[in-house]
Amino acid sequence: YRWSRFVQAHPWPMAIGGTLALIALALPVFSLRLGFSDEGNFAEDTSARQAYDLLAEGFGPGHNGPILIVAQLPEGTDLATLEAVTAAVGADPGVAFASPAVPNDPAAPTAALWQVIPTSAPQDEATYDLVDRLRDDVLPGAIEGSGIETYVTGNVAVAVDFSDYLAARLPLFFAAVLALSFLLLMAVFRSVLVPLKA
């Protein structure tokens, strides 16, 4: 009772203080990173986590989340032109290793595959940045004018795409939850002002 009287007696300071407190509590949302967990999140006594750590220690953290690059090749593509892709990808500072192109048919290739090992772990922001860099800068520059179509895939790339998909729909999700909450409160309290304040 005393607290409610105090709030009523000081509406503006309480409104401003409450708003600042809510903003402070909401600040972590701006550094929110969406994605999937992997074996690195398992308990340390599990076999999967021990294998994950051993692989990262012995071969580097990127071996736990290799990136695949697939290319669709026009007819008559010379396999030597694919070396430019290998060189460009391998030159990126976020790449520890880029395999040579593996064609589906050495005599008349229609597709090629590269395996790329990042320098960072699958859940690191640097690995997500690498996927974006490969798609937006590295690969378009390496295949410009060749007629080759390249695609970046693998578990890490799927996580990047799914994260982007979720992030683009979060405002719609929040809007739907708020709208349904408003309708429910309006039905319960038979008021428009109460749900608006809530």
Side-chain angles (χ1 to χ4, degrees):
Y1 176 80
R2 281 195 293 266
W3 176 246
S4 67
R5 291 299 181 192
F6 178 80
V7 170
Q8 288 176 357
H10 306 88
W12 282 110
M14 297 306 292
I16 293 170
T19 302
L20 292 176
L22 287 173
I23 290 172
L25 290 171
L27 284 176
V29 171
F30 294 104
S31 60
L32 180 68
R33 291 182 55 234
L34 303 172
F36 300 113
S37 63
D38 59 19
E39 289 84 354
N41 300 107
F42 286 15
E44 292 185 3
D45 60 346
T46 60
S47 175
R49 172 63 185 274
Q50 290 169 4
Y52 181 95
D53 291 341
L54 188 61
L55 194 59
E57 291 168 14
F59 297 95
H63 275 79
N64 283 307
I67 297 169
L68 299 177
I69 299 174
V70 183
Q72 185 176 359
L73 309 178
E75 189 175 344
T77 299
D78 183 7
L79 292 180
T81 61
L82 302 180
E83 294 175 7
V85 175
T86 307
V89 172
D92 189 278
V95 173
F97 170 76
S99 74
V102 179
N104 62 334
D105 180 2
T110 58
L113 173 71
W114 291 262
Q115 185 170 5
V116 179
I117 306 297
T119 57
S120 49
Q123 295 185 57
D124 284 355
E125 191 171 358
T127 310
Y128 282 41
D129 292 341
L130 172 62
V131 171
D132 291 335
R133 219 168 35 248
L134 289 174
R135 287 174 169 166
D136 299 337
D137 302 323
V138 176
L139 291 172
I143 61 172
E144 187 175 5
S146 65
I148 298 172
E149 295 287 337
T150 57
Y151 307 94
V152 179
T153 186
N155 289 338
V156 174
V158 169
V160 170
D161 293 340
F162 190 69
S163 299
D164 292 343
Y165 180 86
L166 283 180
R169 280 148 184 81
L170 275 178
L172 294 174
F173 174 76
F174 288 139
V177 170
L178 290 173
L180 290 173
S181 300
F182 177 84
L183 292 174
L184 180 63
L185 289 171
M186 192 170 65
V188 170
F189 291 105
R190 309 271 189 214
S191 167
V192 174
L193 186 60
V194 170
L196 274 176
K197 288 175 68 176

